[in-house]
Amino acid sequence: MLPAELRLRILRTAVLTRRFEERAARLARAGAIPAAIHLGTGQEVGQIAALAALRPDDPMLYGHRGAGYWFARGISPATVLADIAYREGGTNRGKGGVMHVVDPARGVLGESGTVGGNFVLGAGIAFADRQLGRDTVTIVFFGDGTSNRGQFHEAANFAAIARLPLVLFCENNGWGLSVPASVSTSVDDIATRAAGYGMPGVVVDGCDPDAVFAAVAAAAARARAGGGPTLIEAKVPRIPAHFLGDKEHYRTDADRQAAVDRDPLPRLVADVRARGLLDDDGLAALEAEVAAELDAAFDDVLARPLVAPATAFEGLYP
Amino acid sequence: MLPAELRLRILRTAVLTRRFEERAARLARAGAIPAAIHLGTGQEVGQIAALAALRPDDPMLYGHRGAGYWFARGISPATVLADIAYREGGTNRGKGGVMHVVDPARGVLGESGTVGGNFVLGAGIAFADRQLGRDTVTIVFFGDGTSNRGQFHEAANFAAIARLPLVLFCENNGWGLSVPASVSTSVDDIATRAAGYGMPGVVVDGCDPDAVFAAVAAAAARARAGGGPTLIEAKVPRIPAHFLGDKEHYRTDADRQAAVDRDPLPRLVADVRARGLLDDDGLAALEAEVAAELDAAFDDVLARPLVAPATAFEGLYP
Amino acid sequence: MSGPDVKYAHALRAALDRALADDPRVVVFGEDVAVAGGIFGVTRGLHATHGDRVFDTPISENLIVGMAVGMAMRGLRPVAELQYADFVFSAGDEVFLKAATWRYSHDGAVDLPMVVRMACGGGGFGPEHSQCTEAYLMHTPGLRVAVPSTPADAQGILTAAIRSDEPWFVLEHKYLYGTSGPVPEGDHVAEPGRAVIRRRGEHVTIVAWQDMLRRALAAAEVLSDDGIEAEVLDPVTLDPFDLDTLVGSVRRTGACVVVEEAPVTLGVGAEIGALLMEHAFGWLDRPLVRLGIPDVPVPTAEHLVAALVPSVDDIVAAVRRQVG
Amino acid sequence: MSGPDVKYAHALRAALDRALADDPRVVVFGEDVAVAGGIFGVTRGLHATHGDRVFDTPISENLIVGMAVGMAMRGLRPVAELQYADFVFSAGDEVFLKAATWRYSHDGAVDLPMVVRMACGGGGFGPEHSQCTEAYLMHTPGLRVAVPSTPADAQGILTAAIRSDEPWFVLEHKYLYGTSGPVPEGDHVAEPGRAVIRRRGEHVTIVAWQDMLRRALAAAEVLSDDGIEAEVLDPVTLDPFDLDTLVGSVRRTGACVVVEEAPVTLGVGAEIGALLMEHAFGWLDRPLVRLGIPDVPVPTAEHLVAALVPSVDDIVAAVRRQVG
Ligand SMILES: Cc1ncc(C[n+]2csc(CCOP(=O)(O)OP(=O)(O)O)c2C)c(N)n1
Ligand SMILES: Cc1ncc(C[n+]2csc(CCOP(=O)(O)OP(=O)(O)O)c2C)c(N)n1
Ligand SMILES: [Mg+2]
Ligand SMILES: [Mg+2]
């Protein structure tokens, strides 16, 4: 069971993520910032709980869904917004935008633009860290749709052989863009594929931070002890459309509503309340604090100039 | 159990294959023909038995190991030798050599030069034939080493979803060139990976033609009835070196001897003898007949000119 | 060109729709092409009309292209979609080593009547979703490459590609999907390997296609005010490449500028330069000018992309420098 | 160049051996590189000397290159082997979309000190095991490309590549592995981006590398008997490319022939042609001549390959036609 402080920290980060994304989406819809955002609504609690089970410097390659990964590692909303909005003060100065937020000191190493590229890069990262005597565990986040790329197979096989300190964390939200997992993926649980590599495969409720935390903690402990990789599949709802402009013509209202009903954030709020960790006032204070942080960050960043055009020529080589 | 006539046919084709390859290897070592041959010694019985369980027009993408695939489909030794030796009268006139023997009317569709390319092509072939109302079953042969390419994953997943009439036939000879399967592949039985795709996975003794025939026949019947793909793993010995020039520095004599001891051809000979299907005279006659056929074929083909240099410019487009 | 105005995306759709209706061997597939109608909307409605011959695949690019090759061998006429032209590398083995070589390796035993469609170019998508990869494809013997710039050519060339027995790669520019132009009614097929002179002029030949063609035409108007009349040539297909029309134009004008949305080094402009040396050396009054992306990847921010990709002003300035 | 005669393959091995000995961050991996010592024998003995830092991978090309990218991000200095240069497409996503873009996408937050070695060219291997894929790599911003032709350069450039913080692709020609030449003793490093004039001459500049360099040098001897003195330029690396040495040579000779073992269309010769237009237009007495593979894949039969790849006679004839 999560200690109280950690549970509250996860809640705070999840609220920060949710509110940040809501604001960013609003601004993007209004045309004030670029719209290349994939919201993580409903997946952020699982993402944040997973990262809470790792060390703050454990290498991570994140997925494309949301800002939770970065906030969980302490990257500031202003920094992330600067990357989204191509302003000075971000991490990639317009080169990578929201897809390539990076902070190696925090283990935030990036994301493959082609989904699934993370698998093989992650194997290399895990190999390198072990080889260099670092006792880190590398985590790779990916969606259910992404699991069908060939790189999954190549990386899973090698990770198992080499007993790499690697956690393959699948966020199965039942959709790969417009294609339901039932159409794209030949098994119900992607975790069942783990057996084909001789690695443990675990299914968890991705809306349950305790379950996610426990699964990742166990996988990380195993990996750090030399036991090799684990495939964790977190079942999560897909609440938002795939990307901001997506009208979801392909989806029924009932399916969307079912996802909304699984939203882990109200559940987590109810949980901390039930545990007596936070009352109405505390929650209001948390929301107010987040709002103030975001007000400041958004005001600050949106007042900054766009990165200078000349930066386009920089960064290719040392 | 194989009917007597079929058992004898398998034996005859296996003997033809073995003797053909022995001659080809001898000539190649002497520099009389190109040496780009990977011998199928010890794997040919399984290959031939597998194809005996299919219709003569069922599409096949073969592996790189040996001539058994082609002889099982009735391509003549002269034709194959012409391809190997870049003479007129082959199927690809020097373009593809031994790697790309082709005869669409016999379902012999070719081989991907990059091992593993067959998986995704095979999915397309199986899809096309079904779509075009042909009730064929497509078979894809591949080695244990090859199974670790990403294309395996992509094709297996889609084949299972689409219930493609496809048989994935793995010839696990324990080696991928110099790398033992234990070093390259994270599970002992590649067939265990089938469960991760929701398809049946079967392990058979690839030196036992009855077992191979039964497994392929069952898979084909299932596929033809709309039941989808099957992964069959035939355990076979790797008797020869990987390619002709390979000195096998990486291999112990004991391992090589263990493979030789598993040679299915003497076993099949003993079997037909024990069943009273062929006596010493019959066997001698079979060998003599094969020798005569090969004498004629080799004399014929090696007297032919090399394909004309101008053919290099032909064949790219219709 | 006469006919009603049609959007580029709709013209592509019309080509697919008609091909599906006319020929039962045509199948259309890729990620999100069926129910969703494609991430750029090109295939919208086709699944409803044609059923399972329009289907979604998993996120498996090797499979998408490899399956097309396998299907084509057996007589289907697959039209596969890769969501972005950068993904030719995600399916690199199948594009460059299978589609390109299979017929040749097997000495023509099978044809490959297949098409791969994909969206290229633009800004805001980042280094892995923005590339115009035509030069890679053009360097590869065995692949046919189209870069249609108008709705009419989009429909005509895609139709020709589907009816062809050769493997075609059709690059569709993201910024063109929403543009309109006349498309002939009825069965409209364009002939591959025929460049189109989009504007006549005597002082310089500008070669450009897709979004760069629009910029080249705009630049030509600006230049015209200065008395410089640019001829603007749209190659339409890069393989086959219409050498005659290029050489004819440059022999008239004596100067050539190539504008492309790809790295300059070994971009299509390099080939055009070499071809002009070989076929128009004596006629060239001045060296070829290549405009393209300086040798960096395509960044994500639109304004950074704008700093890299040739603009109307860049083209005007380059022509003035060259011809002036 | 002084020093004992060493085989090209051994020179490469010496570079790897020394790098492994000097720098614990260096790892060497790929298919069959460890116990077997590589299918062309380059890595023989390294596993015995350096243990698990030289290791075999599964047949998983995406993994091989992707892992190198991931390792490099974290401070290892991976030297990966792809068995054949054609396999850059089997690992297409990782080569063209990861190694090339990662540093830029993340604005330099990490360097990619990685090397991918691979065997190219030759005959008898067929369309998927014979290609010289340097033009594809050279068109890609972010990748460094070496085509060493001598044992000294093989060792020197591989050493430089391993010590560099940039992603290097080193093409090793199959027909050169067995050739010998002097290699300086001690710590021998070559400087990337420095072309070498392999032969001085005043009438024409022949640009060639690897097996075509050998043919070009043989052709130059034949031509010399006719009184035609060819200057033969070996670029050594294609990215960075030594423009100055090329331009200097062509300004002296006034003519240029490029010989390569790859399709002519958009081969490296196209870029050289365009560069010469841009930088030596007034000095060129005659158009560039490009010799390469006509636009078909590489067949398997050696004698068919010989019919396609420029021969010594082809080079002699082309130069005579051009200069004569
Ligand atoms: C190789 C590749 N193919 C396709 C895409 C386009 N694309 C981006 S996200 C996505 C869907 C991913 O689905 P999933 O992995 O389930 O993640 P989710 O969006 O559901 O979180 C697709 C098709 C891509 N970026 N890369
Ligand atoms: C993509 C690719 N990688 C590597 C090779 C080189 N290669 C050819 S056969 C082979 C070993 C294959 O092993 P396996 O699949 O087990 O077949 P076997 O030779 O044992 O029958 C290798 C590495 C290739 N042809 N294609
Ligand atoms: Mg999903
Ligand atoms: Mg094997």
Side-chain angles (χ1 to χ4, degrees):
Chain A
M1 215 188 61
L2 291 168
E5 198 203 355
L6 190 52
R7 188 179 309 273
L8 283 172
R9 186 140 54 82
I10 291 171
L11 173 66
R12 191 189 186 286
T13 308
V15 170
L16 179 70
T17 304
R18 181 71 60 98
R19 302 299 168 239
F20 175 89
E21 293 186 17
E22 285 165 356
R23 283 185 194 227
R26 212 156 43 230
L27 283 171
R29 289 206 178 88
I33 61 170
I37 311 174
H38 299 82
L39 300 179
T41 320
Q43 301 188 202
E44 68 282 77
V45 170
Q47 292 162 359
I48 295 162
L51 289 169
L54 295 173
R55 285 203 324 228
D57 64 334
D58 278 332
M60 145 171 60
L61 293 170
Y62 46 83
H64 54 275
R65 205 156 276 296
Y69 310 107
W70 307 315
F71 296 157
R73 279 293 166 88
I75 298 181
S76 76
T79 302
V80 172
L81 183 64
D83 275 339
I84 294 177
Y86 313 144
R87 307 302 165 112
E88 290 297 346
T91 70
N92 63 51
R93 295 192 307 159
K95 312 301 171 53
V98 69
M99 222 185 287
H100 299 289
V101 175
V102 63
D103 188 342
R106 299 178 197 268
V108 178
L109 293 179
E111 173 192 6
S112 170
T114 50
V115 297
N118 282 0
F119 297 119
V120 289
L121 303 181
I125 291 167
F127 189 106
D129 271 29
R130 182 176 64 188
Q131 186 72 22
L132 291 165
R134 305 181 191 129
D135 66 338
T136 62
V137 170
T138 298
I139 187 163
V140 167
F141 289 91
F142 60 102
D144 50 297
T146 300
S147 74
N148 292 317
R149 284 201 75 206
Q151 279 83 348
F152 173 83
H153 182 63
E154 298 196 358
N157 177 58
F158 184 76
I161 296 164
R163 300 182 86 74
L164 295 182
L166 185 67
V167 177
L168 297 171
F169 191 92
C170 179
E171 302 178 58
N172 186 345
N173 64 6
W175 292 90
L177 218 163
S178 75
V179 182
S182 58
V183 170
S184 71
T185 308
S186 64
V187 285
D188 292 335
D189 295 333
I190 287 159
T192 60
R193 291 186 172 164
Y197 304 102
M199 71 168 86
V202 187
V203 178
V204 293
D205 175 0
C207 295
D208 177 350
D210 289 273
V212 170
F213 183 91
V216 175
R222 191 169 169 274
R224 243 182 278 274
T230 301
L231 172 58
I232 299 174
E233 178 182 8
K235 305 282 193 186
V236 293
R238 195 181 96 186
I239 295 173
H242 178 72
F243 49 87
L244 280 187
D246 176 14
K247 300 274 184 300
E248 291 197 313
H249 291 303
Y250 50 82
R251 191 178 190 188
T252 66
D253 290 339
D255 186 273
R256 195 180 304 105
Q257 188 56 49
V260 170
D261 293 343
R262 288 168 64 200
D263 189 344
L265 192 55
R267 181 170 149 186
L268 181 55
V269 167
D271 175 60
V272 294
R273 212 195 291 266
R275 289 176 197 272
L277 298 177
L278 221 55
D279 59 12
D280 282 355
D281 286 353
L283 280 163
L286 190 163
E287 290 279 6
E289 193 187 299
V290 163
E293 182 178 352
L294 292 177
D295 281 345
F298 277 70
D299 286 351
D300 169 12
V301 171
L302 297 179
R304 296 180 199 167
L306 290 172
V307 294
T311 65
F313 297 88
E314 300 161 10
L316 187 57
Y317 291 122
Chain B
M1 216 188 62
L2 290 168
E5 198 203 355
L6 189 53
R7 189 179 308 274
L8 284 171
R9 186 140 54 83
I10 291 171
L11 173 66
R12 190 190 186 286
T13 308
V15 170
L16 179 69
T17 304
R18 182 71 60 96
R19 302 300 167 239
F20 175 89
E21 293 185 18
E22 285 165 357
R23 285 185 193 227
R26 213 156 42 231
L27 283 171
R29 288 205 179 88
I33 62 170
I37 311 174
H38 299 81
L39 299 179
T41 320
Q43 300 187 203
E44 68 283 78
V45 169
Q47 293 161 359
I48 295 161
L51 289 169
L54 294 174
R55 286 203 324 227
D57 64 335
D58 278 333
M60 143 171 60
L61 293 171
Y62 47 83
H64 54 274
R65 205 156 276 296
Y69 310 107
W70 306 315
F71 295 158
R73 279 292 167 89
I75 298 181
S76 75
T79 303
V80 172
L81 183 64
D83 275 338
I84 294 177
Y86 312 144
R87 307 303 165 112
E88 290 296 346
T91 70
N92 63 51
R93 296 193 307 159
K95 312 303 170 53
V98 69
M99 222 185 286
H100 298 289
V101 175
V102 64
D103 188 342
R106 299 179 197 268
V108 179
L109 293 179
E111 172 192 7
S112 170
T114 50
V115 298
N118 282 359
F119 297 119
V120 289
L121 304 182
I125 291 166
F127 189 107
D129 270 30
R130 182 175 65 188
Q131 186 72 23
L132 291 165
R134 304 179 191 131
D135 66 338
T136 61
V137 170
T138 298
I139 188 163
V140 168
F141 289 90
F142 60 103
D144 50 297
T146 300
S147 75
N148 292 318
R149 283 202 74 208
Q151 280 82 349
F152 173 83
H153 183 62
E154 297 195 358
N157 177 57
F158 184 76
I161 296 164
R163 301 182 85 75
L164 295 182
L166 186 67
V167 178
L168 297 171
F169 192 93
C170 180
E171 302 177 58
N172 186 344
N173 64 6
W175 291 90
L177 218 163
S178 75
V179 182
S182 58
V183 170
S184 71
T185 307
S186 64
V187 285
D188 292 335
D189 295 333
I190 287 158
T192 60
R193 290 186 172 163
Y197 304 102
M199 71 169 84
V202 187
V203 178
V204 293
D205 175 1
C207 295
D208 176 351
D210 290 274
V212 171
F213 183 91
V216 176
R222 188 168 171 276
R224 243 182 278 274
T230 301
L231 172 58
I232 299 175
E233 177 182 7
K235 305 282 194 186
V236 293
R238 196 182 94 185
I239 295 173
H242 177 72
F243 48 87
L244 281 187
D246 176 14
K247 299 274 184 299
E248 291 196 313
H249 291 303
Y250 50 82
R251 192 178 190 187
T252 65
D253 291 339
D255 186 273
R256 194 179 304 103
Q257 189 54 48
V260 170
D261 293 344
R262 288 167 66 199
D263 189 345
L265 192 53
R267 180 169 150 186
L268 180 55
V269 166
D271 175 60
V272 295
R273 212 195 291 266
R275 289 176 196 273
L277 298 176
L278 221 54
D279 58 12
D280 282 354
D281 287 353
L283 280 163
L286 192 163
E287 289 280 6
E289 192 187 299
V290 164
E293 181 179 353
L294 292 177
D295 282 345
F298 277 69
D299 287 350
D300 169 10
V301 171
L302 296 180
R304 296 180 199 168
L306 290 173
V307 294
T311 65
F313 296 88
E314 300 162 10
L316 186 57
Y317 291 122
Chain C
M1 184 74 62
S2 71
D5 262 22
V6 176
K7 280 201 173 141
Y8 186 90
H10 297 175
L12 290 163
R13 188 190 304 159
L16 295 171
D17 190 31
R18 188 175 187 120
L20 283 158
D22 285 354
D23 189 339
R25 298 169 303 174
V26 173
V27 289
V28 170
F29 58 93
E31 294 159 22
D32 308 294
V33 301
V35 185
I39 50 169
F40 296 103
V42 171
T43 56
R44 200 164 292 156
L46 298 179
H47 176 68
T49 310
H50 302 283
D52 285 348
R53 284 165 58 216
V54 179
F55 64 94
D56 287 325
T57 64
I59 303 176
S60 301
E61 280 76 11
N62 298 103
L63 175 84
I64 290 171
V65 180
M67 204 154 57
V69 174
M71 287 171 166
M73 276 187 225
R74 297 298 284 175
L76 280 184
R77 303 187 86 81
V79 185
E81 177 175 313
L82 290 175
Q83 295 192 326
Y84 297 90
D86 319 61
F87 296 0
V88 292
F89 299 117
S90 307
D93 200 319
E94 287 68 27
V95 171
F96 295 95
L97 302 179
K98 297 297 155 314
T101 71
W102 195 269
R103 190 181 194 283
Y104 186 79
S105 302
H106 300 94
D107 195 38
V110 290
D111 291 332
L112 294 187
M114 60 179 275
V115 179
V116 179
R117 301 173 36 248
M118 49 206 180
C120 66
F125 297 85
E128 301 176 48
H129 292 73
S130 306
Q131 296 182 41
C132 292
T133 47
E134 52 262 34
Y136 296 99
L137 299 165
M138 189 182 180
H139 180 50
T140 307
L143 304 182
R144 297 302 193 187
V145 188
V147 286
S149 301
T150 65
D153 278 350
Q155 183 166 335
I157 280 292
L158 180 54
T159 300
I162 296 172
R163 293 185 190 170
S164 152
D165 286 331
E166 302 170 357
W168 275 91
F169 287 74
V170 180
L171 291 106
E172 304 169 355
H173 197 286
K174 298 184 196 85
Y175 286 174
L176 298 185
Y177 281 130
T179 61
S180 293
V183 175
E185 287 179 285
D187 186 32
H188 170 55
V189 196
E191 193 180 331
R194 307 246 326 212
V196 177
I197 306 278
R198 297 284 175 201
R199 183 184 194 285
R200 290 270 166 201
E202 67 246 42
H203 299 119
V204 59
T205 302
I206 306 179
V207 182
W209 54 98
Q210 301 198 320
D211 196 38
M212 296 303 104
L213 174 60
R214 299 199 298 171
R215 298 183 190 196
L217 289 168
E221 293 311 310
V222 175
L223 289 162
S224 183
D225 294 342
D226 296 3
I228 300 175
E229 295 302 337
E231 182 141 310
V232 180
L233 186 149
D234 170 3
V236 186
T237 61
L238 296 173
D239 187 335
F241 184 82
D242 185 349
L243 180 63
D244 290 347
T245 302
L246 171 74
V247 169
S249 174
V250 174
R251 286 186 181 183
R252 276 195 307 278
T253 62
C256 184
V257 175
V258 183
V259 193
E260 65 190 305
E261 197 176 332
V264 170
T265 297
L266 275 174
V268 175
E271 180 61 27
I272 289 176
L275 288 172
L276 290 177
M277 279 234 226
E278 289 161 356
H279 300 279
F281 190 70
W283 285 266
L284 270 181
D285 303 327
R286 19 183 85 77
L288 173 91
V289 171
R290 296 186 284 170
L291 298 179
I293 298 182
D295 293 329
V296 295
V298 186
T300 303
E302 283 91 339
H303 72 288
L304 297 190
V305 176
L308 297 173
V309 172
S311 65
V312 174
D313 287 351
D314 292 337
I315 302 169
V316 169
V319 171
R320 279 203 187 119
R321 262 199 314 278
Q322 198 197 29
V323 178
Chain D
M1 182 75 62
S2 71
D5 262 22
V6 176
K7 280 201 172 140
Y8 187 88
H10 297 176
L12 290 162
R13 188 190 304 160
L16 295 170
D17 189 32
R18 187 174 187 119
L20 283 158
D22 285 356
D23 189 339
R25 298 168 303 174
V26 173
V27 289
V28 169
F29 58 94
E31 295 159 21
D32 308 294
V33 301
V35 185
I39 51 169
F40 296 104
V42 172
T43 55
R44 200 164 291 157
L46 298 179
H47 176 68
T49 311
H50 303 284
D52 286 349
R53 284 165 58 216
V54 179
F55 64 94
D56 287 325
T57 65
I59 303 177
S60 301
E61 280 76 10
N62 297 102
L63 174 84
I64 291 171
V65 180
M67 205 154 55
V69 175
M71 287 170 165
M73 276 187 225
R74 297 297 285 176
L76 280 185
R77 303 187 87 82
V79 185
E81 177 175 313
L82 290 175
Q83 294 192 326
Y84 297 90
D86 318 61
F87 297 179
V88 291
F89 299 117
S90 307
D93 200 320
E94 288 67 29
V95 171
F96 295 95
L97 302 179
K98 296 297 155 316
T101 71
W102 195 270
R103 190 181 194 283
Y104 186 78
S105 303
H106 300 93
D107 196 37
V110 289
D111 292 332
L112 294 187
M114 59 178 276
V115 179
V116 178
R117 301 174 37 248
M118 49 205 178
C120 67
F125 297 86
E128 301 176 50
H129 293 72
S130 306
Q131 295 182 42
C132 292
T133 48
E134 52 262 36
Y136 296 99
L137 299 165
M138 189 182 180
H139 180 50
T140 307
L143 303 183
R144 298 301 194 187
V145 187
V147 286
S149 302
T150 64
D153 279 349
Q155 182 166 335
I157 279 293
L158 180 55
T159 300
I162 297 172
R163 294 185 190 171
S164 151
D165 287 330
E166 302 169 356
W168 275 92
F169 287 74
V170 180
L171 291 106
E172 304 169 354
H173 198 285
K174 297 185 196 86
Y175 287 174
L176 298 184
Y177 281 129
T179 60
S180 292
V183 175
E185 288 179 283
D187 185 33
H188 171 54
V189 197
E191 193 181 330
R194 306 241 334 206
V196 177
I197 307 278
R198 296 285 174 201
R199 184 185 194 283
R200 290 271 166 201
E202 68 246 42
H203 299 120
V204 60
T205 302
I206 306 179
V207 182
W209 55 98
Q210 300 198 320
D211 195 38
M212 296 303 103
L213 174 61
R214 300 199 299 171
R215 298 184 189 195
L217 288 167
E221 292 311 310
V222 177
L223 290 162
S224 182
D225 294 341
D226 296 2
I228 301 174
E229 294 303 338
E231 181 141 309
V232 180
L233 186 149
D234 171 3
V236 186
T237 61
L238 296 173
D239 187 335
F241 184 82
D242 184 349
L243 181 63
D244 290 347
T245 301
L246 171 74
V247 169
S249 174
V250 175
R251 286 187 181 183
R252 275 195 307 277
T253 62
C256 184
V257 174
V258 183
V259 193
E260 65 189 306
E261 196 175 332
V264 170
T265 298
L266 276 174
V268 175
E271 179 62 27
I272 289 176
L275 288 171
L276 290 178
M277 279 234 225
E278 289 162 356
H279 301 279
F281 191 69
W283 286 266
L284 271 181
D285 303 327
R286 20 183 84 79
L288 173 92
V289 171
R290 296 185 284 169
L291 297 179
I293 298 182
D295 292 329
V296 294
V298 186
T300 303
E302 283 91 339
H303 72 287
L304 298 190
V305 176
L308 296 173
V309 172
S311 64
V312 174
D313 287 349
D314 293 336
I315 302 169
V316 169
V319 171
R320 279 202 188 119
R321 262 197 315 278
Q322 197 196 30
V323 178

